[in-house]
């Protein structure tokens, strides 16, 4: 007979003694269990002891997490969190450098556990660490482990960042500002500065006074990608928290210090492959840079502002090589007529007062900025487009002004200008780091593409929206290929002509074609269960391979992972913590925890997951919510997941639902079903090519009057 669900069989270690096999009753108070264990080894003062998980984490067992103990777990009897905190608090103040170093190593390791962290913080441990840093007496490994312990303790979110003195900030900043600094100390210092800036507006101002972009730049010119990542993270944090009026000033300083070209040569074009965290920081920098355009994008043009109207006069002057006539030359009516004619040639909707065209937001004044940049920096292409279209009489002219305004709006939508960066995205484009005015250059390439596509489509003004849809598709398809430079982007667009887009659309339409005749529909219904079974097997095979999941906490970068995989017989989920994300599969025997599939009651997704309802989860964005799912087992126990991406989320939720005998409902299942069903249908109908399949089967002929024509084989 199996043991009750509340009884857990474990092994318990004690240094210098033989491990004990023991049955733990989960309904029994934890203190009573610890007392029983201590008595078995004749240890007094049981209140000074605690149980730990005997693995690399060394996490303490508490009433809150005791249900994580599984059958077969190995526990360790050790001193209680309070006693350990008191001992370490004393040891890190030792006069012996060697003893102090060992104590700080132990503290850095123990601080990852929130139970210990709470006890150490209650002893004013954070203040002690900050005093040690401010004193400036420790260097090298001593300082490195002091800062590591500080970062780990602050990660738990128990202490507010606003409590730190200016002296401490200055000291941390000094480690970053030094040209030759221990790598570990520099890394921790950058992490502390980033957290200070992100978690406190008051600390942002203090850090901004101590750190300049010029002092951060040298850290990007090294070869250590971790240091480069932390450096860009600090720059992003300063950018994100800067007041609106200071962001443009900061962007100007970044341009002066050639940050973009340094990142391009030392990071993007470095022989070291870009890891996920670096990709995320580059994406953040890309988004924050483009968000500087939001102010111009949301600024309407004032038709009465002479300085703004002069920009439109400049567009006219460059296009038609005319100087602005003095106010007293010619009659007013004649000048108005001349301006109206030229503004019509420039493709504005309002020929009399084109300033009105720029009162639409978005794109507001940003569209006019782009047009002026194009006219000044790509003058030949600008003049060619304007004159080429203004001289046409067949209604096929492409309106440059209207096109530029709509294109600018489209590019802002594609690049999500004005939208805050996502916490989980790594989608940066290397080509935007190859030019100081990348958005304007992007526009210049796309406006020429629009003009070319307009001609290929032989479009008229009635086809304007159709042309814009094709241009959007061309741009999106070219961006998907992640070109390394603007020239490469331009050449990709050359290969995506209107004819090519039509071919791609036709090919995709054929692949997704849904035949509606009754015989075809009946065949689809017959094939569908076979395809669904194939998808189910693929999902279960992927679960057997397993996936590495990241643990989410208050700070994004923590490099804490766990792995989960399904056993080959589909009966048990094996899972366990890892030090780093592995390249291949993790063997079952190295994963210490198990969950029988038979015990799983349900799969919960999104905001209904328990780990999405926790206090710290309120800061998580929509993307993280969409990647969260939990497995409910027993009465109220959960195994919580946050998938690395949408694909893994769909694979795991589908696989778990398949194990429970439920329907697989993810977007990927639908997509796979459509693709595989379409392929199978085409293969089966290959012999019927060019044969018309009737909507209804042919009628069965009447029975013959006699069967004399039947041959008797006997």
């Amino acid at each position: 007979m199996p043991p009750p669900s509340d009884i857990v069989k474990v092994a318990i270690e004690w240094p210098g003694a033989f491990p004990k096999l023991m049955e733990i009753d989960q309904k029994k108070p934890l203190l009573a269990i610890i007392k029983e264990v201590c008595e078995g080894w004749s240890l007094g003062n049981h209140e000074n002891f605690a149980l730990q998980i005997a693995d690399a984490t060394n996490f303490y067992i508490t009433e809150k997490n005791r249900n994580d103990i599984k059958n077969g777990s190995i526990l360790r009897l050790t001193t209680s969190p309070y006693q350990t905190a008191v001992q370490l608090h004393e040891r890190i103040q030792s006069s012996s450098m060697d003893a102090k170093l060992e104590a700080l190593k132990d503290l850095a390791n123990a601080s990852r556990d929130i139970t210990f962290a709470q006890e150490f913080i209650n002893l004013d441990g954070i203040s002690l660490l900050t005093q040690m840093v401010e004193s400036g007496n420790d260097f090298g490994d001593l300082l490195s482990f002091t800062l590591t312990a500080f970062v780990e303790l602050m990660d738990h979110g128990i202490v507010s960042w606003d409590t730190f003195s200016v002296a401490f900030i200055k000291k941390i900043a000094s480690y970053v500002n030094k040209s030759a600094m221990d790598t570990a100390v520099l890394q921790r210092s950058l992490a502390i500065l980033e957290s200070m800036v992100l978690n406190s507006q008051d600390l942002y101002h203090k850090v901004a006074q101590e750190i300049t972009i010029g002092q951060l730049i040298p850290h990007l010119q090294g070869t250590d990608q971790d240091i480069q990542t932390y450096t860009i993270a600090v720059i992003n944090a300063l950018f994100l928290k800067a007041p609106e009026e200071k962001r443009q000033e900061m962007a100007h300083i970044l341009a002066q210090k050639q940050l973009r070209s340094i990142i391009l040569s030392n990071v993007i074009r470095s022989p070291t492959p870009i890891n996920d965290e670096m990709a995320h920081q580059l994406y953040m920098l890309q988004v924050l840079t483009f968000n500087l355009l939001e102010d111009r994008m949301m600024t309407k043009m004032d038709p009465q502002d002479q300085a703004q109207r002069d920009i439109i006069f400049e567009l006219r002057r460059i296009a038609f090589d005319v100087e602005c006539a003095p106010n007293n030359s010619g009659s007013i009516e004649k000048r108005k007529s001349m301006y109206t004619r030229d503004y019509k040639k420039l493709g504005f909707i309002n020929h009399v007062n084109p300033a009105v065209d720029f009162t639409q937001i978005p794109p507001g004044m940003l569209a006019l900025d782009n047009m002026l940049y194009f006219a000044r920096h790509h003058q030949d292409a600008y003049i060619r487009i304007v004159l080429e279209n203004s001289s046409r009489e067949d209604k096929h002219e492409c309106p440059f002004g209207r096109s530029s305004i709509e294109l600018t709006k489209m590019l802002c939508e594609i690049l999500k200008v004005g939208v805050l960066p996502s916490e989980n995205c790594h989608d940066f484009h290397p080509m935007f780091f190859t030019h100081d005015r990348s958005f304007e250059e992007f526009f210049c390439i796309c406006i020429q593409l629009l003009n070319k596509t307009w001609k290929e489509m032989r479009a008229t003004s009635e086809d304007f929206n159709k042309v814009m849809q094709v241009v959007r598709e061309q741009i999106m398809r070219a961006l998907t290929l992640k070109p390394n430079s603007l020239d490469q982007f331009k050449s990709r667009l050359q290969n995506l002509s209107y004819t090519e887009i039509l071919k791609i659309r036709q090919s995709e339409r054929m692949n997704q074609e849904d035949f509606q005749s009754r015989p075809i529909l009946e065949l689809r219904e017959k094939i569908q269960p076979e395809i669904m079974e194939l998808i189910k097997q693929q999902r279960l095979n992927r679960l057997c391979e397993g996936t590495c999941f990241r643990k989410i906490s208050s700070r994004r970068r923590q490099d804490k992972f766990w792995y989960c995989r399904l056993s080959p017989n589909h009966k048990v989920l094996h899972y366990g913590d890892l030090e780093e994300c592995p390249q291949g599969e993790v063997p079952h025997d190295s994963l210490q925890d198990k969950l029988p599939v038979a015990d799983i009651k349900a799969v919960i997704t999104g905001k209904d997951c328990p780990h999405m309802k926790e206090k710290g989860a309120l800061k998580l964005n929509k993307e993280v919510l969409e990647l969260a799912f939990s497995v409910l087992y027993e009465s109220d126990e959960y195994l919580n997941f946050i998938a690395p991406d949408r694909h893994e989320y769909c694979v795991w939720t589908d696989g778990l639902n398949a194990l429970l005998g439920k329907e697989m409902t993810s977007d990927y299942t639908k997509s796979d079903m459509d693709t595989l069903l379409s392929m199978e249908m085409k293969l089966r109908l290959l012999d019927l090519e060019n044969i018309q399949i009737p909507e209804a089967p042919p009628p069965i002929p009447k029975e013959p009057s006699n069967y004399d024509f039947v041959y008797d084989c006997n």
Side-chain angles (χ1 to χ4, degrees), residues 280 283-284 287 416 419-427 552 556 605-607 609 611-612 617-629 641-647 649-650:
H280 172 72
Y283 152 80
M284 288 273 290
V287 172
K416 298 181 179 177
V419 179
L420 284 174
S422 160
E423 270 299 312
N424 262 24
C425 190
H426 312 110
D427 189 26
I552 297 292
R556 190 177 185 280
T605 59
K607 61 183 180 183
C609 297
H611 57 314
M612 293 295 105
L618 296 174
K619 297 178 184 176
L620 299 175
N621 61 17
K622 187 182 175 186
E623 276 194 31
V624 175
L625 284 172
E626 289 175 351
L627 297 175
F629 62 98
F641 299 76
I642 293 179
D645 52 47
R646 185 71 187 167
H647 179 263
Y649 170 85
C650 291

Side-chain angles (χ1 to χ4, degrees), residues 661-679:
K662 295 181 179 177
E663 190 180 349
M664 298 185 292
T665 56
S666 77
D667 297 338
Y668 278 85
T669 294
K670 186 177 182 301
S671 172
D672 288 350
M673 172 61 79
D674 290 344
T675 304
L676 294 170
L677 196 55
S678 175
M679 287 169 59

Side-chain angles (χ1 to χ4, degrees), residues 49-86:
F49 292 91
L51 291 172
Q52 271 182 337
I53 298 286
D55 61 10
T57 62
N58 291 327
F59 285 168
Y60 281 99
I61 303 296
T62 64
E63 290 291 353
K64 284 185 180 179
N65 66 15
R66 63 183 295 175
N67 288 321
D68 292 341
I69 303 172
K70 306 299 175 194
N71 278 317
S73 296
I74 300 174
L75 308 183
R76 181 186 300 119
L77 184 66
T78 186
T79 51
S80 68
Y82 172 74
Q83 289 294 325
T84 307
V86 169

Side-chain angles (χ1 to χ4, degrees), residues 327-339:
N327 288 336
N328 57 1
S329 64
S331 68
I332 294 173
E333 289 300 322
K334 186 177 178 182
R335 287 207 313 276
K336 276 188 178 179
S337 172
M338 185 171 60
Y339 285 151

Side-chain angles (χ1 to χ4, degrees), residues 404-446:
S404 298
I405 291 167
E406 287 301 317
L407 179 64
T408 302
K409 184 180 176 182
M410 181 201 292
L411 298 183
C412 289
E413 289 171 0
I414 290 171
L415 298 176
K416 298 181 179 177
V417 174
V419 179
L420 284 174
S422 160
E423 270 299 312
N424 262 24
C425 190
H426 312 110
D427 189 26
F428 83 97
H429 293 276
M431 72 177 193
F432 291 128
F433 290 85
T434 61
H435 202 285
D436 288 327
R437 304 289 293 273
S438 58
F439 184 80
E440 290 86 344
E441 287 293 324
F442 186 43
F443 168 84
C444 294
I445 293 169
C446 294

Side-chain angles (χ1 to χ4, degrees), residues 277 280 423-426 550 553-558:
E277 188 54 40
H280 172 72
E423 270 299 312
N424 262 24
C425 190
H426 312 110
R550 186 185 288 269
S553 76
S554 55
R555 273 179 75 244
R556 190 177 185 280
R557 275 193 315 278
Q558 71 226 295

